[in-house]
Amino acid sequence: MRVNDNMLNVMIKKSPQNPILTADQVPYKADCVFNAGVAKINGEYIMVFRNDYDYISGAAFGGCNLGLARSKDGIAWEVEKEPILNAEQAREWFADSHDERFGLGEIRRVYDPRITVIDGQSYLCAAMDTRHGILGVILKTDDFRSFELLSLTSPDNRNMVLFPEKIQGKYYRLERPFPVYGRGKAEAFEIWSSASPDLRYWGDTRLLLGSEEVPYINCKIGPAAPPIRTPKGWLTTIHAVNKDESQLLKAWGDQKWTKSYYAGLMLLDLENPQKVIGLSDQPLLIPDAPYEADGFRGSVIFPGGMILEDDGEVKIYYGAADTCVALATAHVDELIALCKPLPKPE
Ligand code: BMA
C-alpha cells in the first residue's frame, strides 16, 4: 500500500491554524517545541510540551525542559513564563524522594510528557534518560509545578500512558519497552500493558500489540496519546514507524534520517483494556504537510494528547517533525468505524 494516498484525509482534518504551537511563542530559550500532552481541566485546555533548546550539532541540544501552555479553545495557546520541569529539578526531587544517586547527574533529561486526569487528580507520565537507561516515570501533580514520583520503570521503557479511570478496580497503562535482544531485528518494539492497584506497583504485564500486526509499517510502534472512553471501547492512537533506507527524509538534525512516523488508531476492550478489539489498517495521519515533512526530524507525527468533546469531536494533538505542535480533529464515530477486528493469529 502507498501510504501517501491517505484515504482518511476527508474525515480527519488537520487544523488550518497548524502548527498551533511553535518555539516563537515560548518566552524562554526554545528551539524545538513538540510532543505535548494535553488535557481539558475545568473547561481549560492544559498542555505540557517538550522543549529542546541550545542546539549544538547533530541530534544534540544543550538543554531540554517541559513547558506549560493554556488555552480557552484548544487552538490558541499562551505559554507560561517559566518552564515547569527540567533535569536539574528532577535530580533534586528524585534524590530526596527516591535515590540520592539521582542528585548526582544520573538524570539527563525528562521529555515526551503525557497528561491523564483520573478522578480529578492530574498525572504526568514522561520519559527520563538516565546514565543507566531510559525509564518511564509517573508523576502526580496538583499544580503542574511540584510533582510526586509514583513509579519508575526499569530500563528501557518509555511512551507510558495512563487510562483515565480505574477499570474493574485496577489502574492500567500502556508502555513501550525496547527489546534489544531476542527480536531478531533492530527496533522491532511493541506496545505492552500493565495493571496496578495504586499507580505505584505495576504487574500483570502483557503484550498488547506486536509491530508485525500493523500492516502499514516495517519498524517499531508505541503508545501515543492516553486513551479516551467511548461506548465501543477505549479509543487510542499509536505511533507507528516505517523505515525506508532508500529514501533520505528532510531533517536538519539528522542527515541520514529515513524513519517516517505515522499516527495509527486502535480500540481496546472496555472491560479488559489489555485486549485489542480493533485496529485501523491504514495510518490515521501521515506527515505530508510542510510543517510535518520538514524540521529537526521531518516526516514525524507523534501524538501525545487526545480530547473527546461533548459534541463528539476528537482533538488529536501531535508533535510534528520534532519541531512544533499540531492539531487534527475527527468525529469519534468515524474514528471508531476505522478500527477493524485483528486477523486471528496464525
Ligand atoms: C522517538 C522519540 C520521540 C521522537 C521520535 C522521532 O524515538 O525520541 O521523542 O519524537 O523518536 O524523532
Side-chain angles (χ1 to χ4, degrees):
M1 167 189 171
R2 282 181 53 209
V3 283
N4 279 335
D5 298 333
N6 188 358
M7 291 159 275
L8 305 179
N9 57 12
V10 181
M11 45 79 51
I12 181 147
K13 295 255 181 280
K14 292 178 184 170
S15 170
Q17 272 89 7
N18 275 347
I20 55 151
L21 192 76
T22 65
D24 296 345
Q25 289 161 261
V26 178
Y28 42 88
K29 269 200 237 176
D31 287 333
C32 293
V33 160
F34 60 113
N35 294 4
V38 184
K40 200 172 175 183
I41 301 177
N42 301 327
E44 186 187 35
Y45 297 83
I46 301 284
M47 176 192 287
V48 176
F49 57 86
R50 164 176 171 184
N51 169 33
D52 289 359
Y53 61 94
D54 279 350
Y55 180 65
I56 302 171
S57 64
F61 286 83
C64 173
N65 54 33
L66 301 184
L68 186 95
R70 296 174 186 275
S71 171
K72 289 192 171 58
D73 60 3
I75 300 170
W77 295 86
E78 199 153 317
V79 180
E80 295 220 329
K81 287 199 179 64
E82 304 283 341
I84 58 164
L85 185 61
N86 60 30
E88 291 74 43
Q89 289 164 323
R91 275 176 210 142
E92 274 173 39
W93 288 328
F94 288 24
D96 286 349
S97 63
H98 180 67
D99 178 337
E100 60 188 29
R101 284 174 295 182
F102 276 52
L104 303 173
E106 174 70 15
I107 299 174
R108 296 203 160 134
R109 58 175 184 159
V110 183
Y111 58 103
D112 290 0
R114 271 84 162 187
I115 306 172
T116 301
V117 179
I118 310 174
D119 288 334
Q121 173 69 56
S122 300
Y123 299 91
L124 195 76
C125 295
M128 192 161 84
D129 288 358
T130 73
R131 272 208 295 240
H132 292 85
I134 296 172
L135 315 181
V137 23
I138 303 175
L139 305 168
K140 185 174 165 183
T141 182
D142 292 326
D143 54 4
F144 293 96
R145 293 265 154 224
S146 54
F147 300 92
E148 181 190 341
L149 174 63
L150 296 185
S151 166
L152 278 180
T153 63
S154 55
D156 282 323
N157 197 338
R158 71 174 167 204
N159 296 310
M160 217 145 64
V161 303
L162 296 175
F163 285 73
E165 57 189 81
K166 272 185 158 176
I167 303 155
Q168 311 275 13
K170 283 184 271 181
Y171 296 97
Y172 284 90
R173 75 184 185 197
L174 305 178
E175 60 202 300
R176 212 290 300 280
F178 306 13
V180 175
Y181 300 109
R183 284 285 284 133
K185 62 175 183 167
E187 292 194 289
F189 307 153
E190 2 273 342
I191 300 177
W192 291 70
S193 166
S194 303
S196 170
D198 58 3
L199 294 167
R200 289 178 189 273
Y201 294 90
W202 290 90
D204 198 13
T205 300
R206 289 163 194 247
L207 174 64
L208 190 88
L209 186 69
S211 50
E212 70 286 351
E213 293 177 279
V214 181
Y216 49 89
I217 51 115
N218 61 8
C219 191
K220 58 187 171 179
I221 57 171
I228 55 173
R229 177 190 260 283
T230 77
K232 298 283 160 72
W234 295 102
L235 186 66
T236 192
T237 48
I238 63 172
H239 66 261
V241 180
N242 200 62
K243 192 170 174 179
D244 177 1
E245 286 182 332
S246 70
Q247 209 191 349
L248 281 183
L249 298 167
K250 289 182 182 165
W252 59 260
D254 188 338
Q255 304 315 309
K256 294 190 177 149
W257 184 243
T258 56
K259 286 188 257 182
S260 296
Y261 279 62
Y262 308 122
L265 192 69
M266 68 177 170
L267 197 63
L268 309 175
D269 189 284
L270 274 184
E271 303 301 317
N272 173 13
Q274 297 188 308
K275 186 174 166 208
V276 179
I277 54 172
L279 180 74
S280 170
D281 61 5
Q282 41 186 314
L284 181 67
L285 290 167
I286 61 166
D288 54 3
Y291 54 87
E292 301 161 343
D294 197 358
F296 178 69
R297 280 180 179 158
S299 293
V300 172
I301 286 186
F302 199 88
M306 193 172 183
I307 290 171
L308 175 57
E309 303 287 7
D310 292 342
D311 63 359
E313 182 193 70
V314 178
K315 291 189 170 72
I316 298 172
Y317 294 91
Y318 58 97
D322 284 3
T323 301
C324 55
V325 182
L327 167 68
T329 56
H331 194 277
V332 65
D333 293 340
E334 298 201 82
L335 293 177
I336 292 169
L338 291 171
C339 299
K340 312 273 165 38
L342 287 182
K344 288 254 171 296
E346 284 162 20

